[in-house]
Amino acid sequence: MPQNNRTFDHFGGRRSAVVLNARIILAGDKRQMASVERGAALRTLEDIAGLKIAEVTDIRRQSGEYKETVKLLSVGKTAEGLEKLDGMGWVKLMPVWDSYAPLAKDYVDKLRTSRDREHGALIVSPTHAEGAKITAEVRRKLKEEGMVAGEDRHFTQLVPLQWTQAERGDARQYAGDEILQFHRNSGDYKAGDRVDSKTALASTRPLKPAHFAAYDKSTIDLAAGDLIRITANGKTVDGKHKLNNGAVYTVEGFTPGGDIALGNGWVVRKDFGQLAHAYVSTAHASQGRTVDHVLIAQSALSYPASSREGFYVSVSRGRKSATIYTDDKRDLMEAVTRTQPRPAATELMRKPKPQLLRRMRQAVARVQLAALVAAKTRLHELSNLREKELTYAR
């Protein structure tokens, strides 16, 4: 099972394995990013529990210099890997004005020449905020090139709140307008039910937070030609086909009833909600994906969220190329060579050791650096704004 699949519900599936007399195989890469909710389960098993492992050391996705670079990143030699990428001409500086325009142009060019639009290219950005700006620029360029056509239609979008199980079980977390999607029977609701949190919390029987996910309600604009990514498992309108979490499809058009028609002939309900544009992904969400070309946006806006683990994930998504777009190579080097290991509870219970104290000091230093980078970014934005105002005044 992949590490980002909550590591078999953090070993909760072992009960089923015992009943079935089956073997559990946990597969993943502890050098990549750990689960947001469950933490570094594989590292805990290997480093703390001492579980013996079988390791695949040969990289099969890439070849040539690209493969050598990914190998450096996989063993923690991030600085050497980034320098090698720069030497290959794969690190580009973003312009001050229209900073995302070159990135969007390169992405659209690669998409146009790809045999498989759904797996030809992917942009990875550490943060959703920067990803949203890039998506807007990419869609503008796609419309300009005629690859996305027609007027936008507005659809409901359910945005995961990424709450932990404990947070979902705390009634104080809710404002009342969140949407709860049940994947198992709980309280008065059955698997598949969708209800607002105000109604759900008034349920006559208690809800189990492990049995539902929480979402914010938003909107998404779609047009014919758009690429979309499914963000949670579901089914097509006719119930005959599964929509798997992470799957990417092309929007062919829309039915007379307003449902979304896909390029493979399937139809998705207009109120399905659990979908997003597939042009940009975070490093977390991109784990497990493979495309021909990966384009990585690592501007100052995303430096606080950057790490060695995230950079390794991002660069290794491509088969043929990985191009990094940044506004400062020196700051980029500092941002992506930071590591963000997650201490396990068993580590915190032990008597502090020198290496743990060092990691704690490093964590404090990362927070301080993130604050400095954020302040620098804001000053840079204000400076650019002031220059624009002076230009207009002249």
Side-chain angles (χ1 to χ4, degrees):
M1 301 284 286
Q3 183 173 359
N4 61 0
N5 196 23
R6 297 190 178 182
T7 315
F8 207 41
D9 195 23
H10 207 57
F11 322 126
R14 67 184 184 277
R15 292 185 291 272
S16 300
V18 170
V19 172
L20 297 171
N21 193 28
R23 176 181 295 176
I24 298 175
I25 298 177
L26 301 174
D29 187 346
K30 69 174 185 177
R31 301 177 188 88
Q32 294 190 7
M33 307 179 80
S35 166
V36 173
E37 181 173 354
R38 300 295 182 176
L42 291 183
R43 186 182 64 80
T44 301
L45 283 174
E46 184 180 344
D47 296 346
I48 299 175
L51 186 71
K52 292 184 179 180
I53 65 168
E55 188 171 7
V56 178
T57 58
D58 185 32
I59 295 172
R60 309 297 295 272
R61 183 180 286 153
Q62 295 86 19
S63 61
E65 286 189 279
Y66 188 9
K67 179 177 179 177
E68 294 171 9
T69 302
V70 173
K71 181 65 177 178
L72 289 171
L73 298 177
S74 73
V75 296
K77 296 181 179 180
T78 309
E80 294 178 39
L82 181 54
E83 288 173 357
K84 192 170 183 63
L85 286 168
D86 195 12
M88 295 163 64
W90 288 6
V91 180
K92 299 184 178 182
L93 287 174
M94 302 162 67
V96 175
W97 309 116
D98 298 325
S99 55
Y100 300 122
L103 168 60
K105 180 182 181 303
D106 290 350
Y107 172 82
V108 171
D109 289 344
K110 292 186 184 301
L111 206 63
R112 183 189 297 108
T113 58
S114 175
R115 294 181 181 179
D116 183 358
R117 289 189 69 214
E118 294 162 6
H119 301 92
L122 174 68
I123 300 171
V124 178
S125 175
T127 64
H128 292 290
E130 186 165 30
K133 294 180 180 180
I134 298 169
T135 293
E137 181 64 24
V138 166
R139 292 193 76 236
R140 186 194 67 77
K141 186 65 176 176
L142 287 169
K143 288 186 175 184
E144 184 181 289
E145 297 291 325
M147 297 171 69
V148 169
E151 293 185 5
D152 284 346
R153 297 200 184 192
H154 312 299
F155 294 89
T156 297
Q157 182 184 35
L158 298 182
V159 181
L161 288 170
Q162 305 294 358
W163 287 350
T164 64
Q165 185 173 315
E167 288 172 325
R168 294 196 300 275
D170 185 353
R172 295 170 299 179
Q173 284 283 115
Y174 297 93
D177 57 354
E178 299 87 356
I179 302 297
L180 305 187
Q181 174 84 42
F182 290 85
H183 47 262
R184 292 183 64 181
N185 297 344
S186 187
D188 297 333
Y189 302 98
K190 295 182 179 180
D193 285 349
R194 183 184 294 175
V195 63
D196 65 83
S197 59
K198 182 178 180 180
T199 303
L201 292 174
S203 177
T204 57
R205 292 187 292 169
L207 305 176
K208 294 184 178 181
H211 294 177
F212 64 85
Y215 298 88
D216 246 341
K217 195 172 183 179
S218 183
T219 59
I220 182 172
D221 293 339
L222 297 177
D226 262 321
L227 288 179
I228 59 171
R229 175 172 54 87
I230 304 300
T231 57
N233 294 334
K235 290 188 176 181
T236 54
V237 167
D238 57 14
K240 295 181 179 179
H241 307 287
K242 289 182 64 176
L243 298 168
N244 294 321
N245 183 19
V248 176
Y249 301 100
T250 301
V251 175
E252 183 70 21
F254 307 97
T255 68
D259 292 327
I260 305 168
L262 304 181
N264 61 359
W266 298 358
V267 177
V268 179
R269 292 194 326 270
K270 59 186 176 183
D271 62 347
F272 179 68
Q274 292 165 324
L275 46 82
H277 291 116
Y279 308 115
V280 185
S281 175
T282 62
H284 261 293
S286 71
Q287 290 187 120
R289 287 197 64 182
T290 300
V291 293
D292 290 336
H293 306 280
V294 61
L295 301 88
I296 304 159
Q298 295 265 180
S299 76
L301 289 175
S302 294
Y303 287 163
S306 301
S307 68
R308 183 176 73 189
E309 295 81 6
F311 191 64
Y312 167 41
V313 171
S314 301
V315 172
S316 60
R317 295 309 90 201
R319 276 188 290 256
K320 299 178 180 179
S321 71
T323 310
I324 295 92
Y325 298 79
T326 185
D327 41 21
D328 191 310
K329 292 183 180 181
R330 186 177 61 181
D331 287 350
L332 172 65
M333 176 69 77
E334 190 172 349
V336 300
T337 50
R338 296 195 305 263
T339 182
Q340 296 180 345
R342 296 192 175 197
T346 49
E347 291 177 304
L348 296 176
M349 292 296 291
R350 293 174 177 173
K351 183 180 178 180
K353 295 183 178 180
Q355 60 266 34
L356 181 57
L357 290 173
R358 183 170 62 252
R359 285 170 57 184
M360 292 173 68
R361 284 194 289 267
Q362 289 173 345
V364 172
R366 286 197 301 271
V367 173
Q368 292 174 332
L369 178 62
L372 287 172
V373 171
K376 180 179 177 181
T377 301
R378 184 55 182 161
L379 286 173
H380 181 68
E381 291 175 346
L382 291 174
S383 176
N384 288 342
L385 182 61
R386 179 59 178 164
E387 286 183 22
K388 282 185 176 181
E389 291 174 348
L390 290 173
T391 300
Y392 293 147
R394 294 192 191 104

